[in-house]
Amino acid sequence: MPQNDLTSVSHASGPASPPRPRKVPRIVVLGGGSVGLYVARRLRKKLKKREAAIVVVDPRPYMTYAPFLPEAAAGSIDARDVVAPHRKALKGIDVLQGKVTTIEHGRKAVKIQPESGDEYEVTYDQLVVGLGSVSRTLPIPGLAEAAIGFKNVEEAIAVRNHVINRLDVASSTWDADLRKRMLTFTFVGGGFAGIEALAEIEDMARYATRQYNTIEASDLRFVMIEGAGRILPEVTEPMGEYALAELKKRGIEFHLNTFLSSCVDGHVVTSTGVEFDTETIVWTAGVKANPVIKEASDLPFDKMGRAIVLPTLQIATEDGEVVEGAWAAGDCAAVPDVNNPGKFCPPNAQHAIREAVRLADNIVALYKDKPAVDYDHKNLGVVASLGLYKGVAELFGFIKLRGFPAWVAHRGYHVMAMPTGNRKVRILIGWIGQFLMGRELVSLGSLHDPRQEFRNASVPPKPAGEKVEQKAESSAERAESGSKA
């Protein structure tokens, strides 16, 4: 294990054995996203290795900066530049790559299932739960088979490759109904994630039509299905109406107060009776807290499956009694908004990063016998991209920006929030390259199944007992035999 000799790790399947005593307290951070990465980095900065051992657990070897996923999908940013590799960003911190399956805080132990090998157990003194969220889906017929999410970088790049591939295939398809189906792109969910993804990809696709002699921008159909009566609920209603009007000017079709009823085999049916065929359905209709908290832990949670926390970010019971040694923040925690009593902090990157800093400082305060401080952060505002050079922004409660200034504010804020200077520089270089040389529009869809061509070329195996003859042949001999043929 990549642990020091003070770490006790036992295989969950084996007989239980008492953990070896630790001279250095261990802080286990579940999740390597915005909360986990920033908590671990802050703790390592404030606590020396003799004061605490820090362990981060995550199934992926990197943190994804979610606000940049739409730009990665549109090709404005390289996919590798919207992630921060844990082993580079978490110097002096142990990283375990695996999925958390069980949290037993009563024993102060978590069980981890690595990608390969047996499940094992890690004990701790302090636990930080930053497991984030997963896509919130509904039992809609055909959804699991026909749709794709937009929660991680793999999905974002898969959407990009798929959209460009549909353009490639449609450009050589003469069946009018099939072309229409291929060139219809459907997004479900009109929050920040859905609108930014829709706007960026629509912008990219219409730009891409310049490369096709047989496809016009007017041939593309982009559809948004949203259950509420407006889009972008995170901004004020006038700004949401402005964004809606601007997107409609680009020909994007909106169905508000509408729900997806079915999408079997790509045939979309809505609650308002609208029906059409599509080969692209992107699901961005909300998220929910990681189910491990509700289904496989003994920590208190609310009706939405989020860890119950105090303003200090300490996990607590419904009665407000602190659960010693347990902390949580981000999407998987119900963090009270002290500036708006009765409400909770929004599950976005801005709050997650600042909650992480406060949480880490409170753990440090605990070790130094100082009181914990409430998380009190006034919202700096919201920024949203509506495609290249377009956006909306509301800053500090009174500054309202539209169009190009809002787009600059969006990019400026998020590049500063991106962890590690290395990634900041790479993103800036990518933007400059795109400005000077334009978008790079190539579909690499085969990356999602690179062995398909090899499987297709493979010869079926001989029947059992029949000898397989193999003959060594040089490339020169093969070339000679080919020329004679």
Side-chain angles (χ1 to χ4, degrees):
M1 298 300 297
Q3 300 284 306
N4 56 43
D5 59 0
L6 300 176
T7 299
S8 59
V9 178
S10 62
H11 289 282
S13 58
S17 57
R20 291 177 293 171
R22 289 190 294 271
K23 296 179 181 178
V24 177
R26 183 187 303 130
I27 303 170
V28 170
V29 181
L30 304 183
S34 295
V35 169
L37 185 137
Y38 277 90
V39 164
R41 282 160 61 99
R42 183 85 170 177
L43 288 172
R44 185 75 293 157
K45 180 180 179 181
K46 297 261 184 171
L47 296 174
K48 298 178 181 178
K49 291 186 178 181
R50 296 189 301 273
E51 296 177 293
I54 305 168
V55 181
V56 173
V57 183
D58 195 278
R60 288 185 173 86
Y62 51 79
M63 182 214 84
T64 301
Y65 189 67
F68 274 147
L69 288 181
E71 290 203 50
S76 298
I77 302 176
D78 188 275
R80 292 171 296 181
D81 296 339
V82 301
V83 302
H86 287 152
R87 300 189 189 280
K88 178 174 286 188
L90 298 174
K91 297 294 185 181
I93 297 167
D94 289 325
V95 178
L96 299 178
Q97 189 174 335
K99 182 179 180 181
V100 177
T101 58
T102 308
I103 302 172
E104 296 183 45
H105 190 66
R107 297 176 47 239
K108 290 199 170 182
V110 295
K111 292 180 181 177
I112 302 167
Q113 178 62 60
E115 186 173 332
S116 299
D118 297 332
E119 185 179 66
Y120 59 90
E121 188 176 89
V122 176
T123 59
Y124 57 82
D125 297 282
Q126 298 288 328
L127 178 71
V128 177
V129 182
L131 291 170
S133 58
V134 298
S135 294
R136 176 177 59 85
T137 59
L138 299 171
I140 298 171
L143 182 65
E145 296 78 17
I148 184 173
F150 203 82
K151 189 74 176 60
N152 54 55
V153 69
E154 295 90 347
E155 290 175 331
I157 302 309
V159 169
R160 166 185 165 79
N161 283 331
H162 174 76
V163 169
I164 297 176
N165 177 261
R166 292 302 82 194
L167 294 176
D168 289 338
V169 177
S171 67
S172 300
T173 301
W174 311 116
D175 184 316
D177 290 336
L178 183 56
R179 273 172 58 93
K180 184 177 180 180
R181 178 188 179 101
M182 288 178 179
L183 299 178
T184 298
F185 307 99
T186 307
F187 290 73
V188 184
F192 256 116
I195 292 300
E196 288 194 319
L198 167 67
E200 289 282 355
I201 291 173
E202 184 270 348
D203 205 13
M204 175 199 73
R206 295 202 187 279
Y207 177 89
T209 58
R210 303 176 187 180
Q211 299 183 358
Y212 300 92
N213 294 328
T214 57
I215 298 178
E216 300 291 336
S218 58
D219 295 333
L220 307 184
R221 181 186 182 188
F222 280 84
V223 182
M224 165 59 70
I225 299 172
E226 166 55 41
R230 56 167 296 192
I231 64 171
L232 295 177
E234 300 88 346
V235 303
T236 59
E237 191 165 349
M239 293 298 277
E241 290 177 352
Y242 165 80
L244 178 63
E246 288 299 305
L247 293 172
K248 282 185 173 180
K249 287 179 184 178
R250 289 155 57 174
I252 299 176
E253 184 180 327
F254 284 84
H255 296 274
L256 304 180
N257 294 310
T258 304
F259 298 94
L260 178 64
S261 299
S262 174
C263 56
V264 177
D265 296 328
H267 181 70
V268 170
V269 180
T270 73
S271 60
T272 56
V274 175
E275 296 188 36
F276 58 89
D277 292 323
T278 179
E279 291 190 356
T280 307
I281 302 174
V282 183
W283 180 268
T284 63
V287 296
K288 63 180 180 180
N290 193 302
V292 170
I293 297 170
K294 180 179 180 179
E295 300 173 4
S297 85
D298 54 2
L299 297 171
F301 54 86
D302 67 3
K303 62 182 180 180
M304 297 178 66
R306 301 173 298 182
I308 299 173
V309 300
L310 300 176
T312 56
L313 303 173
Q314 294 169 287
I315 294 180
T317 64
E318 290 184 356
D319 298 328
E321 182 180 349
V322 173
V323 177
E324 297 293 339
W327 312 74
D331 294 3
C332 67
V335 180
D337 187 343
V338 297
N339 296 302
N340 297 285
K343 296 186 178 181
F344 299 98
C345 294
N348 57 35
Q350 179 187 149
H351 278 281
I353 293 171
R354 286 162 175 76
E355 288 167 9
V357 173
R358 172 47 55 202
L359 191 158
D361 287 347
N362 280 345
I363 292 178
V364 173
L366 176 71
Y367 282 121
K368 298 185 182 299
D369 295 322
K370 295 180 179 179
V373 177
D374 289 352
Y375 172 69
D376 180 3
H377 172 69
K378 292 182 179 179
N379 201 334
L380 297 178
V382 290
V383 289
S385 169
L386 299 178
L388 198 61
Y389 309 132
K390 299 171 281 287
V392 292
E394 294 180 324
L395 308 175
F396 310 110
F398 63 92
I399 300 176
K400 300 184 186 300
L401 304 175
R402 301 176 179 183
F404 181 74
W407 175 80
V408 172
H410 171 271
R411 283 199 164 185
Y413 173 79
H414 286 305
V415 77
M416 292 305 298
M418 185 71 193
T420 76
N422 176 287
R423 284 303 184 268
K424 289 181 174 68
V425 172
R426 287 177 179 272
I427 289 171
L428 289 171
I429 291 174
W431 283 339
I432 293 170
Q434 183 197 58
F435 177 76
L436 295 176
M437 295 176 286
R439 297 177 188 264
E440 186 62 48
L441 299 170
V442 178
S443 171
L444 298 176
S446 59
L447 287 174
H448 307 298
D449 187 7
R451 295 188 63 251
Q452 181 178 350
E453 186 173 346
F454 181 79
R455 288 196 300 269
N456 294 340
S458 296
V459 177
K462 294 281 187 180
E466 186 173 338
K467 185 177 180 181
V468 178
E469 294 186 5
Q470 299 186 57
K471 178 183 177 182
E473 186 179 17
S474 69
S475 58
E477 291 173 326
R478 286 196 297 272
E480 184 177 352
S481 62
S483 62
K484 289 179 179 179

